[in-house]
Amino acid sequence: MNLHWKDLETDGGQWFGLALQCRMDDGRHRKPPLHLESGDNGRIRLVQECAGSDESVVRFWATLLSDYEGVYWLRGADEAPAPVPASTLDSAIVERHAALPQAQRLPGWSRVFAQALADGPASFLYPGLWVLMAMRPKPGTWTFETEPLRRAQASWWLEDARDALREDPLFFIDWWHGRYPLLNLRAPAAVDDGRLKWWRKKAREEALPPVLLWYLSCLNGYVIVDGHLRLQAALLEDRPPSFLVAYSAYEQAVRPDPAAQRAILDSYERHARELALRLPQRRPIGTDSINATLIAAFDDRPLLLPRSYGWATRRPEAQWLDEVRARLAAIGRSEAMDEFAAR
């Protein structure tokens, strides 16, 4: 896959993330190894095709309620490799990024992850425009948010990541609650796992790479696609990590209002004349305030809005239901089948 990236910055010059333009080497548009499938009655699967195997692995099943109150979600078995190969995060690379100034770490890691996804055998990137944005913890909390970017939606946030690594594969996404859930594709590892111990050491050293999330608009939530162990290490050490969030974007045109633009300019010109005349009650307006108002009125760059794409499947709905029924039976939760079958 050919990948071209461009840094995105806020109005204040802070790094927000990367805009990625993805193209297949042969110019065609085909589904990536890790992709969404959509079927009848709002049935969804996240499917991962594995090299050397004719069988795909289902990472999760989900079904939308007919009244759009939420989504029933069921995690698959932990049988598929991560989209980011382990060699991408070897000790030399981790140490090299840990030595960077704090402000340069996430921009550096974003390039590492973007290239790994472009080259990896289990990528979820498909041709088109993507955004890979930084989400950092608010000081002293497990709440996360992005920098404000005028071209993105008003804000991206994650209220609390401490309950993300669920043992239970079954989860209900309540859309009335109003928060974005964080969904794990793997169960937590044993606390004596050797890799987990190493990541806990990196967490204590404040050298932990970010956790990679994929925002899916069909779920209105984030899926952890790489970094389950890193997040678990951060939780055990009570040291909130940073996240890199990928989402498939489309550009929505912005059409500024000429009348509003003219009114703003007239107002500032009138204010400048009155200041020159030293009229009472007139005070200078701060440069930052003027700049923010003018940018808001005249910035005509398109908005980068999220839209997740799925591939329609001809598989009958009965087959989807059979898979869910078998998975629920395997985890001892057959009683939940009525909820998944209902529309």
Side-chain angles (χ1 to χ4, degrees):
M1 172 176 283
N2 290 320
L3 187 67
H4 301 275
W5 59 59
K6 180 176 67 174
D7 288 299
L8 296 172
E9 293 185 347
T10 67
D11 294 345
Q14 294 174 299
W15 188 80
F16 175 85
L18 296 179
L20 307 174
Q21 280 288 353
C22 304
R23 297 182 180 86
M24 292 296 183
D25 294 333
D26 58 6
R28 301 178 65 184
H29 189 110
R30 57 180 177 270
K31 61 186 177 185
L34 183 63
H35 60 273
L36 289 169
E37 282 186 356
S38 61
D40 292 341
N41 283 328
R43 311 303 192 185
I44 300 171
R45 302 195 313 168
L46 180 64
V47 178
Q48 184 166 337
E49 299 170 354
C50 300
S53 175
D54 294 332
E55 295 294 326
S56 299
V57 176
V58 181
R59 306 308 305 274
F60 70 70
W61 296 264
T63 185
L64 281 66
L65 296 185
S66 57
D67 57 7
Y68 299 101
E69 289 187 351
V71 179
Y72 282 108
W73 187 86
L74 176 63
R75 188 175 72 232
D78 302 345
E79 298 175 354
V84 177
S87 58
T88 303
L89 301 175
D90 64 25
S91 58
I93 294 174
V94 171
E95 296 304 324
R96 184 164 67 247
H97 283 80
L100 293 173
Q102 190 68 39
Q104 297 178 19
R105 292 185 188 180
L106 280 177
W109 277 121
S110 70
R111 288 154 169 76
V112 171
F113 279 97
Q115 195 62 59
L117 288 173
D119 299 337
S123 176
F124 55 86
L125 297 181
Y126 43 77
L129 176 63
W130 288 77
V131 172
L132 185 60
M133 60 186 178
M135 185 178 285
R136 301 176 176 86
K138 297 176 70 174
T141 75
W142 277 82
T143 298
F144 302 81
E145 61 185 4
T146 65
E147 298 289 345
L149 183 70
R150 188 178 304 279
R151 295 186 63 198
Q153 67 181 45
S155 60
W156 291 85
W157 73 92
L158 181 60
E159 286 187 8
D160 197 335
R162 284 175 290 192
D163 62 350
L165 298 180
R166 305 173 187 88
E167 291 279 1
D168 191 353
L170 195 59
F171 186 69
F172 178 67
I173 303 171
D174 185 355
W175 282 351
W176 283 102
H177 187 277
R179 72 181 222 175
Y180 300 110
L182 183 55
L183 306 166
N184 56 318
L185 296 180
R186 296 183 181 276
V191 292
D192 59 352
D193 183 280
R195 297 167 302 164
L196 178 60
K197 290 180 178 179
W198 191 77
W199 284 126
R200 291 185 69 172
K201 179 175 180 289
K202 296 296 115 181
R204 292 192 296 271
E205 295 172 355
E206 298 186 352
L208 203 62
V211 177
L212 179 63
L213 310 181
W214 180 12
Y215 175 77
L216 294 177
S217 57
C218 58
L219 303 178
N220 200 28
Y222 308 100
V223 172
I224 304 169
V225 289
D226 185 79
H228 289 79
L229 281 176
R230 298 196 296 279
L231 178 55
Q232 188 174 354
L235 288 164
L236 290 170
E237 297 297 328
D238 195 23
R239 294 171 183 262
S242 294
F243 294 106
L244 285 172
V245 182
Y247 72 86
S248 176
Y250 73 98
E251 292 186 319
Q252 178 175 294
V254 173
R255 297 179 176 83
D257 183 352
Q261 291 175 334
R262 186 68 259 169
I264 289 170
L265 292 177
D266 289 344
S267 174
Y268 282 139
E269 290 172 357
R270 183 171 60 254
H271 186 270
R273 290 194 301 270
E274 292 172 352
L275 276 179
L277 295 172
R278 298 186 178 183
L279 295 181
Q281 307 304 320
R282 281 299 179 194
R283 298 290 184 271
I285 303 174
T287 302
D288 290 344
S289 176
I290 293 174
N291 288 341
T293 302
L294 292 176
I295 290 173
F298 287 85
D299 188 356
D300 60 356
R301 294 173 297 175
L303 301 177
L304 303 173
L305 301 181
R307 177 182 291 169
S308 301
Y309 291 88
W311 274 257
T313 178
R314 294 182 179 178
R315 300 169 71 255
E317 182 184 7
Q319 189 173 347
W320 185 96
L321 292 170
D322 287 343
E323 291 176 356
V324 170
R325 186 177 293 108
R327 174 61 174 157
L328 289 173
I331 63 174
R333 298 293 298 279
S334 294
E335 77 284 353
M337 189 62 206
D338 289 343
E339 297 170 341
F340 268 85
R343 281 289 297 159

